[in-house]
Amino acid sequence: MRILPYRRPAAAVTLLAVAAASLAGCARTATTKGDVPYVARDVGTLYSTAKRRLDQSRFKEAAILFDEVERQHPYSIWARRAQLMSAFSYYLARDYTQSIQSAQRFISVHPGNRDAAYAYYLVALGYYEQIQDVTRDQKITVQALNALGELTRRYPTTRYASDARLKIDLVNDHLAGKEMEIGRFYEVRGQWLAASMRFRTVLEKYQTTTHSPEALMRLTETYLALGVPQEAQKAAAVLGANYPGSDWYAHAYKLMKAHPVELAALVPPGQPIVPPAVHPAAPPPKPTVEVLPPENGPAAPISAPSGATPASPPSTVGTGAGAAPLPSGETPR
């Protein structure tokens, strides 16, 4: 008796072909999760199709299909994996906002999962890839720094933390570059105090970055412009001690040679630093009043008594020795 090979019924083959075609068509035409119609499909078909789209570099379609796995089979073991693959697919499609949201949803639902470190890594990468040049706002840069720092704190021994530490150095260098850009902006416009504050921020918060030598040289310039050469000398000395062969130190050295610091003379021991106050000079003596002498008599100076005014001589009519005195209260006519 010959056994015939098993053949799949034609109707079953037709149904599988229609399901695959409809699934591919939905993924191809959909651009967002809301555009995908709900068509009940088994988890294996959904996940396999999404993985195939990912291998074909059709990242957006793959991410939508991975989201469908989570939506239609939320309690399946593949749903947890699909959440992470969805975040990864959105990252490859450069849709960083959706990637961050998918990764954060995975962290909130499965905080203790062994793949949580990778989810934190995807969040950090999503922010890191959006960093813009130093002439733009650096809010995303700060968010990337916070996400990278959280990854290194939670999972310090993972390979993702090793890459995160390298990226932290690059992010700090970028933030220091932003401070230098603002400081140079103030310096060009002669706002020396504001510029010095920016350069000091670089030295206090980002002293291990590549911008520290320039920040020290710029501080030397601003302190000289502010009229505090002692502080300028300190900044130049620190620059020379840490970066002796740099061009920034050569420029700062020329500046200090052109503007030497003049030190005040030392005060001997026991001598007051502030000289004693000088008392004002005594007032001049009161003037003496000289009265007219009698006829043919010598002149005698008479001092005016204290608090009294000297009596004026009686008025006379005419001039000369024979002039007659006027009565009291009368004026000459």
Side-chain angles (χ1 to χ4, degrees), residues 151-225:
L151 172 60
T152 56
R153 287 192 300 270
R154 288 179 178 270
Y155 307 96
T157 59
T158 60
R159 57 175 180 169
Y160 310 120
S162 301
D163 185 61
R165 293 186 188 95
L166 296 177
K167 286 181 169 55
I168 286 175
D169 293 338
L170 297 176
V171 170
N172 282 328
D173 197 86
H174 197 79
L175 292 174
K178 177 64 175 181
E179 295 293 329
M180 292 299 300
E181 182 73 14
I182 300 175
R184 287 190 291 265
F185 174 84
Y186 286 137
E187 188 178 15
V188 169
R189 283 153 181 79
Q191 301 179 11
W192 309 109
L193 184 58
S196 66
M197 296 300 294
R198 294 291 178 168
F199 298 142
R200 286 186 62 87
T201 300
V202 173
L203 297 176
E204 292 172 358
K205 298 178 63 177
Y206 313 107
Q207 58 181 337
T208 59
T209 63
T210 59
H211 296 278
S212 294
E214 183 185 359
L216 286 167
M217 193 280 296
R218 299 295 180 188
L219 267 182
T220 305
E221 291 179 342
T222 54
Y223 282 148
L224 288 175

Side-chain angles (χ1 to χ4, degrees), residues 97-310:
T97 302
Q98 287 291 341
S99 176
I100 292 171
Q101 290 178 358
S102 297
Q104 289 177 340
R105 186 170 66 253
F106 178 87
I107 294 171
S108 62
V109 177
H110 312 286
N113 189 270
R114 63 179 182 178
D115 294 325
Y118 185 67
Y120 278 102
Y121 184 61
L122 284 177
V123 172
L125 286 182
Y127 288 124
Y128 183 81
E129 295 293 344
Q130 299 181 70
I131 293 177
Q132 299 179 347
D133 60 279
V134 294
T135 60
R136 308 293 294 274
D137 183 69
Q138 298 301 308
K139 180 180 179 180
I140 291 291
T141 309
V142 176
Q143 291 176 323
L145 182 63
N146 295 335
L148 291 167
E150 186 172 7
L151 172 60
T152 56
R153 287 192 300 270
R154 288 179 178 270
Y155 307 96
T157 59
T158 60
R159 57 175 180 169
Y160 310 120
S162 301
D163 185 61
R165 293 186 188 95
L166 296 177
K167 286 181 169 55
I168 286 175
D169 293 338
L170 297 176
V171 170
N172 282 328
D173 197 86
H174 197 79
L175 292 174
K178 177 64 175 181
E179 295 293 329
M180 292 299 300
E181 182 73 14
I182 300 175
R184 287 190 291 265
F185 174 84
Y186 286 137
E187 188 178 15
V188 169
R189 283 153 181 79
Q191 301 179 11
W192 309 109
L193 184 58
S196 66
M197 296 300 294
R198 294 291 178 168
F199 298 142
R200 286 186 62 87
T201 300
V202 173
L203 297 176
E204 292 172 358
K205 298 178 63 177
Y206 313 107
Q207 58 181 337
T208 59
T209 63
T210 59
H211 296 278
S212 294
E214 183 185 359
L216 286 167
M217 193 280 296
R218 299 295 180 188
L219 267 182
T220 305
E221 291 179 342
T222 54
Y223 282 148
L224 288 175
L226 288 170
V228 281
Q230 293 84 1
E231 296 297 326
Q233 188 179 35
K234 292 179 183 179
V238 174
L239 177 58
N242 292 275
Y243 309 96
S246 63
D247 295 336
W248 301 115
Y249 177 63
H251 185 66
Y253 183 79
K254 292 179 181 179
L255 285 176
M256 294 310 301
K257 281 293 184 182
H259 304 82
V261 178
E262 297 180 0
L263 299 177
L266 297 178
V267 179
Q271 180 177 344
I273 298 177
V274 180
V278 179
H279 298 286
K286 296 181 179 180
T288 58
V289 180
E290 184 179 358
V291 298
L292 293 176
E295 295 182 4
N296 301 326
I302 303 175
S303 299
S306 176
T309 57

